């Protein structure tokens, strides 16, 4: 069976992801849909497309055409239950410089000298709201050079020396969409002094995938944990101190809508930029996970082989190594590797595939998601379902129901015309 035919309320295990388009296949894997992952069909849109599924602790909306590329086995009635994380009380956020051990620490930018930030995050995580909070009316809109992708720049409030560029909303740094390529090239070529990565705290498992890739870019970085007010209001919590230690970068809980935590976020961002404080860790391999040891050896073997090329091309070594595993043509071209080196890299990757029992793209995605699952298990207490969400689901049963959606649409449109 393929995922597009799975009935509502059924669970199944992903057997394979097939696509002639390698970039699309990688995009699907980057969403967490890797072989061996259990998925639950939640609901279909009234016209049958798109569909909503649950996997790895979060909900994902998928186009039917993409779901048709995913083969399933072991279809059964759902037995999915909410993960029973031990409850953690909300803890005070550490002061500046505590809770994380970054690399660097020497003054790189003098007080008053210009600082450039890049704001990155998933779509619908509050990035635009945070950008408006950071800049107020001190912003302008244009395009990135050579492409019709929106670019917003602004000056940070109370910090006239600091500017921030709002990068397009993306889910990964894979070369699938123009937005992903633009964001990656801006960070690599323009080399902002620090990254501000905004995360939706209510959907932290999905958002951390981009965070790990940004950390691999080895730039000064701070994580803004947005919507923390919603998490706490619904009985959830995040051990921010432990999360900082696991990721190796400062994490600041904020509420962009209410303007809470914004000053502390700016303080941390300016600090890591001025002192060039790089992430405290770049290695997210889990040697004890499925195929983890093989992936670990593969990435580090490639990194040692390409280190001089990466430095010459000014591409972070760890980032370059993972992109070579993915077969990223942009990185392969930038590194200027000769045929013998490319053959050696291919041999290392093939050996990893043989040891791990899966293909290179699936192994790399599984490595990252295994680390994320461990982090969330240690640091996150999932909130219970809010009254607002329960009310929304109840309304959706009528407004998007299979038999009621079209009549409700016609009724609402008739009411609009009558009122007009």
């Amino acid at each position: 069976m393929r995922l597009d035919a799975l009935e509502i309320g059924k669970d199944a295990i992903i057997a394979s992801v097939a696509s002639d388009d390698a970039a699309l296949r990688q995009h699907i894997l980057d969403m967490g849909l890797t072989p061996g992952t259990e998925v639950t069909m939640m609901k279909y849109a009234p016209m049958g497309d798109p569909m909503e599924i649950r996997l790895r602790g979060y909900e994902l909306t998928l186009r039917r055409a993409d779901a048709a590329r995913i083969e399933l086995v072991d279809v059964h009635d759902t037995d999915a239950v909410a993960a029973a994380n031990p409850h953690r009380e909300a803890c005070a956020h550490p002061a500046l410089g505590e809770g994380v051990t970054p690399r660097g620490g020497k003054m790189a930018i003098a007080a008053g000298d210009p600082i450039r930030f890049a704001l990155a995050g998933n779509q619908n995580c509050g990035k635009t709201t945070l950008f408006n909070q950071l800049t107020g009316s001190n912003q302008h809109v244009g395009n990135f050079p050579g492409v019709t992708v929106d670019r917003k720049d602004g000056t940070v409030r109370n910090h006239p020396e600091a500017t921030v560029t709002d990068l397009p909303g993306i889910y990964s740094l894979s070369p699938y969409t123009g937005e992903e390529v633009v964001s990656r090239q801006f960070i690599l070529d323009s080399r902002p002094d620090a990254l501000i990565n905004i995360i939706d705290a209510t959907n932290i498992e999905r958002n951390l995938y981009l965070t790990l890739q940004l950390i691999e870019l080895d730039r000064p970085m701070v994580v803004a944990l947005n919507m923390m007010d919603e998490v706490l209001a619904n009985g959830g919590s995040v051990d921010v101190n432990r999360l900082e230690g696991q990721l190796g970068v400062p994490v600041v809980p904020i509420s962009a809508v209410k303007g809470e935590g914004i000053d502390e976020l700016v303080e941390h961002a300016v600090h890591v930029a001025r002192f060039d404080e790089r992430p405290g860790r770049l290695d997210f391999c889990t040697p004890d996970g499925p195929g983890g040891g093989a992936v670990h050896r593969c990435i580090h073997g490639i990194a040692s082989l390409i280190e001089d090329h990466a430095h010459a091309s000014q591409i972070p070594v760890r980032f370059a190594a993972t992109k070579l595993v993915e077969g990223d043509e942009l990185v392969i071209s930038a590194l200027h590797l000769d045929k013998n080196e490319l053959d050696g890299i291919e041999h290392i990757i093939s050996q990893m595939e043989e040891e791990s029992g899966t293909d290179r793209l699936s192994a790399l995605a599984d490595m990252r998601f295994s680390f994320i699952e461990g982090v969330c298990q240690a640091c996150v207490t999932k909130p219970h379902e809010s009254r607002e969400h329960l009310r929304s689901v109840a309304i959706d049963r009528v407004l998007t129901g299979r038999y009621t959606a079209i009549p409700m649409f016609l009724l609402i449109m008739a009411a609009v015309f009558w009122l007009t």
Side-chain angles (χ1 to χ4, degrees):
M1 177 184 287
R2 295 185 183 272
L3 181 56
D4 63 321
L6 186 62
E7 295 179 17
I8 295 174
K10 295 286 188 179
D11 286 351
I13 305 297
I14 296 176
S16 63
V17 179
S19 175
D20 295 333
D21 185 344
L24 175 58
R25 183 173 185 272
Q26 181 176 336
H27 183 67
I28 293 173
L29 295 172
D30 285 348
M31 291 189 287
L33 294 158
T34 57
T37 302
E38 184 176 69
V39 297
T40 304
M41 180 59 67
M42 303 301 294
K43 58 185 175 182
Y44 290 90
M47 303 300 291
D49 194 9
M51 60 189 63
E52 182 181 293
I53 59 176
R54 177 181 291 153
L55 72 158
R56 299 183 183 272
Y58 57 86
E59 283 74 39
L60 181 69
T61 302
L62 199 64
R63 293 180 302 180
R64 194 152 198 160
D66 292 341
R69 305 172 188 273
I70 301 171
E71 291 193 359
L72 306 174
V73 294
D74 190 21
V75 178
H76 55 278
D77 290 334
T78 184
D79 53 5
V81 295
N85 288 349
H87 183 71
R88 299 173 182 85
E89 298 295 334
C91 55
H93 184 254
L96 190 64
E98 297 178 9
V100 60
T101 306
R103 294 176 294 118
K106 294 182 179 179
M107 176 72 79
I109 301 175
D113 285 356
I115 300 175
R116 295 177 304 151
F117 296 113
L119 176 61
N122 291 181
Q123 296 173 355
N124 303 316
C125 66
K127 188 162 60 66
T128 300
T129 305
L130 175 59
F131 180 76
N132 292 337
Q133 287 281 5
L134 291 172
T135 61
S137 58
N138 305 315
Q139 54 186 261
H140 61 274
V141 180
N143 286 330
F144 286 93
V147 292
T148 57
V149 177
D150 283 347
R151 168 175 178 164
K152 290 190 291 185
D153 297 278
T155 303
V156 179
R157 292 181 183 180
N158 303 320
H159 288 272
E161 80 283 4
T163 58
V164 57
T165 299
D166 182 17
L167 300 180
I170 56 175
Y171 291 108
S172 77
L173 292 178
S174 303
Y176 177 64
T177 65
E179 287 81 0
E180 290 169 346
V181 174
V182 162
S183 297
R184 187 172 70 176
Q185 291 307 117
F186 178 82
I187 295 170
L188 290 174
D189 297 342
S190 299
R191 301 183 66 81
D193 299 306
L195 306 177
I196 301 175
N197 173 218
I198 180 170
I199 289 178
D200 177 0
T202 65
N203 196 17
I204 194 169
E205 299 93 343
R206 180 70 188 91
N207 284 234
L208 280 176
Y209 194 85
L210 175 62
T211 302
L212 299 192
Q213 291 184 316
L214 291 173
I215 290 174
E216 288 176 348
L217 289 169
D218 197 24
R219 303 296 303 160
M221 177 173 160
V222 59
V223 171
L225 199 58
N226 193 27
M227 305 185 197
M228 275 299 295
D229 54 329
E230 294 184 27
V231 172
L232 296 174
N234 294 311
S237 65
V238 178
D239 189 334
V240 178
N241 300 6
R242 179 175 289 186
L243 183 60
E244 283 189 334
Q246 296 267 16
L247 297 178
V249 294
V251 178
V252 182
I254 69 167
S255 171
V257 171
K258 297 180 179 178
E260 298 173 354
I262 305 301
D263 291 340
E264 184 183 0
L265 175 65
V266 172
E267 183 183 3
H268 276 76
V270 169
H271 178 85
V272 298
R274 282 195 177 139
F275 289 90
D276 193 32
E277 291 189 349
R278 309 294 179 91
R281 68 179 298 173
L282 300 174
D283 189 348
F284 302 105
C285 302
T286 51
D288 54 342
V295 177
H296 178 84
R297 290 189 294 274
C298 172
I299 293 175
H300 287 270
I302 293 174
S304 63
L305 187 63
I306 65 165
E307 188 170 3
D308 54 339
H309 290 274
H311 288 315
S313 303
Q314 294 188 320
I315 300 176
V317 177
R318 168 80 183 194
F319 178 79
T322 57
K323 287 302 168 187
L324 286 175
V325 175
E326 295 176 359
D328 190 317
E329 293 294 338
L330 295 174
V331 173
I332 293 173
S333 175
L335 291 175
H336 304 295
L337 300 166
D338 61 38
K339 186 178 185 305
N340 288 336
E341 290 168 325
L342 289 172
D343 289 343
I345 290 169
E346 181 60 30
H347 176 74
I348 293 173
I349 298 173
S350 298
Q351 188 175 18
M352 179 270 289
E353 290 180 316
E354 185 177 346
E355 288 184 34
S356 63
T358 186
D359 66 274
R360 60 195 71 189
L361 297 181
S362 299
L364 198 58
D366 266 332
M367 178 268 291
R368 291 183 177 128
F369 278 111
S370 295
F371 177 83
I372 290 169
E373 288 169 0
V375 167
C376 292
Q377 186 66 29
C379 305
V380 179
T381 298
K382 295 287 287 184
H384 57 71
E385 200 167 17
S386 66
R387 285 180 295 179
E388 291 81 3
H389 186 260
L390 289 171
R391 189 185 309 122
S392 176
V393 170
I395 296 172
D396 282 349
R397 290 195 188 99
V398 178
L399 294 183
T400 65
R402 177 175 296 183
Y403 303 108
T404 58
I406 302 302
M408 288 301 301
F409 168 75
L410 295 175
L411 180 62
I412 292 171
M413 293 303 296
V416 170
F417 278 105
W418 182 80
L419 289 171
T420 303

